[in-house]
Amino acid sequence: MIKLHRQSVMGIFAAGLGGILSFIAIPRWVATPANVPNIVLSPLFWPYTLAGLCVLAGLGLIWVGLHSNERFNEDEGEVSGAFARVFFFSLIAIAYVWALPVLGMVWASVLAFAATAFLLKSDYPKLALVCAVLFPVVLYGFFAHVAGVAIPQGEFVRLP
Amino acid sequence: MSIFDNLVAGLGLVANFEAFLSLFIGVIIGTIGGAVPGMSVTMTVALTLPFTFAMTPITGILLLLGVYKGGVFGGSIPAILIKTPGTPASSATVMDGYPMAEKGEAGRALGMALWASCTADLISNLSLILFAGFLASFALSFRPPEFFTLILFSLTIISGVSGKSMLRGAFSAVMGLLLATVGLDLVYGTNRFTFGDPNLMGGLNFIAVLIGLFAIPEILSVVWKPGDAHDRTRGLGKNWVTFAEYKRSFKSIVRGSVIGVVLGSIPGIGAAPSAFLSYSEARRKSPKKENFGKGEIEGVAAAEAGNNGVAGATLIPLLSLGIPGDVITAIIIGAFMIHGLQPGPMMFVTNADLIYGLFIGLIVSSVFLFFIGSAAIRVFKFVADVPRSILFPSILVLCVYGVFAVNNNIFDVGVMFAMGALGFVMLRNDIPAAPFLIAYILGPMLEDNFRQAMLMSGGSPWILVSSPITWVFWGLTALTVTAIVRAGIKAGRNAVQKAVTEEG
């Protein structure tokens, strides 16, 4: 099986992105008035130019990848369990955004802090728990009472 | 108004307790941020940005400039004490700094790093004061075609020198330009990639994009490879740097500062090449060149001078042309924008007091850096011992609070995480994030100037080559592309030759 260099894979992605933009995304999601006097002034001109540049960069990357022996810093699989941890962090991030209006920013942050510290295999679990509670509360104090930001309070426990 | 009048107006704006306190706190935060292994000056400046919303423009911008100045020096502390550069630019400091620490002379190396940093910082700030106004008065005559070619040149050089390959840099910049098209069209007000969502009509929040690109990928990198351990911190030792040693290294410090000023004022080059060039020049000219790499104090001085000489000079294109020279100045431009200010030649006319207030603040920052740096060297051990498993969850929470605070909008937090994921993919594939962010900032300006030029000419592209200034920028762009492509081909050939030699 032919093993493509990572630059070539990037190039295929870039050229593909340019193609999708040109044939699907720009015609569908960029609106333009019917009476534009000159093509270069149209709202479509700039996105199409960039899509073209994306394809060019992609083709360049494919060509360079075919002739390159550059080694990237780390190969996949070098760090055990890395993909699983990144996946769990993504879940934490999604849950964090979802919990902001429901639990409030402070309590959502407490949970996100604790979960991330656990994911990072903290050698100091007690300190992590203390910080997980204190740090979001201190930030709440600053942003809500000094900067005057309306921090989401959530539906359960409200802070002064 | 004369320079003297402007300086008096600037002093009137900056001579208050609040402004100096914010600068002082900024230098402390920056020194700590630069010194903590795993953090970076960029991330520290990005995370400090949300705290400036409630401040006056001068106080907020001085806070960020303080963080920048402190961070550049702070990076040298872990470079010398634990062989882990706090910033990429401090990598050159490791070469002689760490061998000195191994010999029990860390205090001497750090002292010289501080003295060289403060001297280079001062020279860089003075260059900024001398050249920014001159460049701005020249740029006042620029029309849309000149600005278009200037921005194009800046993006080309940033794409070319930010990463390991120009094509990856160019791809990154194109993605940044594409992201900048999201929102309402500048001229007709029609929708572009808004998908009917009102949150996207004003474009993506700049702070969410930058924090997502520069802070979240660092957290993900720690998630990828967790652990609280780092190398043993070396003791400071009994010796301290002497004035005679400073005098002996003075030529290298001044040379390094000048290299820093020249390279820093060109958009995109940054502090790391400057530090390495300054170091290699010092080694070439030194009578003790055989000691370099084994713990030569002049090597530390040269590397730090080259590194810090950039800090003031990167503000020259920012303040006089409105072009951020690197990622940190791109973040600082965000602070200007939050307060409704647009850096560029017109700012020297409309907000001269603010500009000169910043100049005065920058000079004072060199003095603050000297005192705060001296204290930081002694307390570094406590900073270095902050566990990563506590530090990075704190950064995560700080990012969410900071991004939400811009518009009181949870959508922006989602954008930040999405940008973080993109930034991590880019990091893993050696695609530099700097061209992406700078293109995202300059994208609307590039398009706006292009369309204005086309409106002026009735659609004729010849207007883009209509004046000698545009010829200069087109020529510089062509020269940059040629130089970078040639360097890339040469590096590729060398790599192939090396591989063949190894196989043989």
Side-chain angles (χ1 to χ4, degrees), chain A residues 6-7 10 13-14 17 21 25-26 29-33 36-38 40-43 45-47 50 53-54 57 60-61 64 69-70 72-74 79 82-83 85-86 89 93 96-97 100-101 105-106 109 112-113 116-117 119-124 127-128 131 135-136 139-140 142-143 147 149-152, chain B residues 50-51 54 148 164-165 167-168 170-171 174-175 177-178 181 185 188 190-195 216 219-220 222-229 387-390 392-398 400-402 404-405 408 410 413-414 417 424 428-431 443 446-447 450-451 454-455 458-460 492 495-496 499:
Chain A
R6 216 188 304 179
Q7 292 211 70
M10 271 182 237
F13 173 78
L17 179 70
L21 280 165
I26 297 172
W29 290 302
V30 179
T32 182
V36 179
N38 196 320
V40 290
L41 296 172
S42 163
F45 179 77
W46 202 246
L50 295 175
L53 288 174
C54 208
L61 280 166
V64 170
N69 60 354
E70 180 192 357
F72 282 78
N73 292 334
E74 266 182 285
V79 185
F83 282 107
R85 278 192 302 277
V86 168
F89 182 78
Y96 196 178
V97 176
L100 285 175
M105 190 171 273
V106 175
S109 300
F113 191 118
T116 311
L119 190 67
L120 295 178
K121 301 174 182 171
S122 180
D123 293 339
Y124 312 88
L127 180 65
C131 291
F135 193 63
L139 285 179
Y140 169 78
F142 174 81
F143 280 105
V149 177
I151 297 290
Chain B
F51 290 92
F148 173 78
K164 290 177 185 168
S165 113
L167 276 168
R168 272 175 272 169
F171 178 46
V174 171
M175 283 200 295
L177 290 171
L178 270 168
T181 60
D185 178 66
Y188 292 99
T190 51
N191 287 316
R192 292 204 299 199
F193 305 117
T194 58
F195 311 107
I216 302 295
I219 300 173
L220 279 162
V222 180
V223 169
W224 185 267
K225 208 173 183 177
D228 281 328
R388 294 204 304 170
S389 61
I390 306 290
F392 283 89
S394 308
I395 291 170
L396 171 69
V397 172
L398 191 54
V400 171
Y401 272 81
F404 177 82
N408 292 2
I410 292 174
V413 180
F417 280 121
F424 184 64
R428 298 278 314 150
N429 287 293
D430 283 341
I431 300 174
L446 185 70
E447 184 183 0
F450 174 77
R451 288 168 87 172
M454 289 300 118
L455 274 171
S460 163
V496 171

Side-chain angles (χ1 to χ4, degrees), chain B residues 39-308:
Chain B
M39 278 197 78
S40 62
V41 196
T42 312
M43 201 206 301
T44 314
V45 177
L47 293 176
T48 312
L49 181 58
F51 290 92
T52 64
F53 300 157
M55 297 176 178
T56 58
I58 185 86
T59 320
I61 296 164
L62 281 177
L63 179 76
L64 293 180
L65 290 176
V67 175
Y68 181 20
K69 298 280 177 178
V72 175
F73 165 70
S76 67
I77 305 177
I80 291 169
L81 291 181
I82 56 174
K83 207 184 177 183
T84 306
T87 58
S90 307
S91 308
T93 312
V94 173
M95 292 195 286
D96 279 294
Y98 190 68
M100 283 181 77
E102 280 185 315
K103 288 184 211 162
E105 293 183 326
R108 208 168 133 239
L110 283 166
M112 178 54 90
L114 179 64
W115 288 14
S117 296
C118 291
T119 311
D121 195 41
L122 191 67
I123 292 173
S124 192
N125 291 336
L126 290 172
S127 314
L128 167 70
I129 296 170
L130 277 175
F131 297 120
F134 169 72
L135 194 58
S137 60
F138 171 65
L140 272 174
S141 60
F142 283 18
R143 299 167 309 137
E146 285 81 12
F147 269 116
F148 173 78
T149 47
L150 166 67
I151 297 168
L152 196 67
F153 162 63
S154 305
L155 283 178
T156 308
I157 196 164
I158 288 163
S159 306
V161 299
S162 290
K164 290 177 185 168
S165 113
M166 184 176 190
L167 276 168
R168 272 175 272 169
F171 178 46
S172 176
V174 171
M175 283 200 295
L177 290 171
L178 270 168
L179 198 73
T181 60
V182 174
L184 296 181
D185 178 66
L186 298 166
V187 177
Y188 292 99
T190 51
N191 287 316
R192 292 204 299 199
F193 305 117
T194 58
F195 311 107
D197 188 337
N199 282 307
L200 290 171
M201 285 183 176
L204 295 175
N205 182 309
F206 163 71
I207 312 285
V209 172
L210 88 87
I211 291 184
L213 272 179
F214 289 96
I216 302 295
E218 297 299 330
I219 300 173
L220 279 162
S221 297
V222 180
V223 169
W224 185 267
K225 208 173 183 177
D228 281 328
H230 62 69
D231 288 354
R232 183 170 68 87
T233 309
R234 300 277 169 176
L236 290 179
K238 286 177 187 165
N239 295 331
W240 198 252
V241 65
T242 61
F243 186 71
E245 284 169 327
Y246 175 72
K247 216 171 127 186
R248 181 166 69 80
S249 307
F250 191 70
K251 255 190 186 173
S252 290
I253 293 172
V254 174
R255 192 190 308 112
S257 308
V258 173
I259 290 171
V261 168
V262 173
L263 295 189
S265 54
I266 303 169
I269 293 190
S274 164
F276 280 102
L277 183 60
S278 167
Y279 180 84
S280 66
E281 277 301 298
R283 185 173 55 188
R284 200 167 63 86
K285 300 241 162 114
S286 172
K288 294 181 175 179
K289 62 178 76 159
E290 68 283 356
N291 288 349
F292 275 67
K294 297 174 191 160
E296 170 58 47
I297 197 164
E298 198 180 341
V300 175
E304 278 302 300
N307 179 4
N308 282 265

Side-chain angles (χ1 to χ4, degrees), chain B residues 334-485:
Chain B
F336 281 92
M337 283 148 79
I338 283 166
H339 292 287
L341 300 162
Q342 180 63 52
M346 279 309 289
M347 208 172 158
F348 279 78
V349 181
T350 54
N351 296 92
D353 55 345
L354 184 81
I355 296 271
Y356 282 84
L358 291 178
F359 288 165
I360 295 166
L362 284 169
I363 297 287
V364 176
S365 73
S366 304
V367 181
F368 284 170
L369 179 63
F370 182 77
F371 292 106
I372 292 166
S374 303
I377 290 169
R378 290 174 175 85
V379 298
F380 170 74
K381 195 178 175 345
F382 306 105
V383 176
D385 285 344
V386 175
R388 294 204 304 170
S389 61
I390 306 290
L391 179 69
F392 283 89
S394 308
I395 291 170
L396 171 69
V397 172
L398 191 54
C399 290
V400 171
Y401 272 81
V403 167
F404 177 82
V406 186
N407 288 329
N408 292 2
N409 192 350
I410 292 174
F411 179 81
D412 289 345
V413 180
V415 170
M416 175 192 78
F417 280 121
M419 284 294 124
L422 177 68
F424 184 64
V425 171
M426 288 166 69
L427 186 74
R428 298 278 314 150
N429 287 293
D430 283 341
I431 300 174
F436 185 102
L437 182 73
I438 294 174
Y440 181 69
I441 292 168
L442 296 179
M445 280 168 71
L446 185 70
E447 184 183 0
D448 194 28
N449 281 295
F450 174 77
R451 288 168 87 172
Q452 279 190 40
M454 289 300 118
L455 274 171
M456 283 164 66
S457 68
S460 163
W462 292 109
I463 192 167
L464 299 176
V465 285
S466 61
S467 72
I469 298 171
T470 58
W471 304 341
V472 170
F473 286 131
W474 281 118
L476 286 172
T477 308
L479 207 67
T480 308
V481 173
T482 312
I484 295 166
V485 169

Side-chain angles (χ1 to χ4, degrees), chain A residues 110 113-114 117 124-138, chain B residues 390:
Chain A
V110 169
F113 191 118
Y124 312 88
K126 284 178 192 166
L127 180 65
L129 274 181
V130 172
C131 291
V133 176
L134 282 183
F135 193 63
V137 173
V138 170
Chain B
I390 306 290

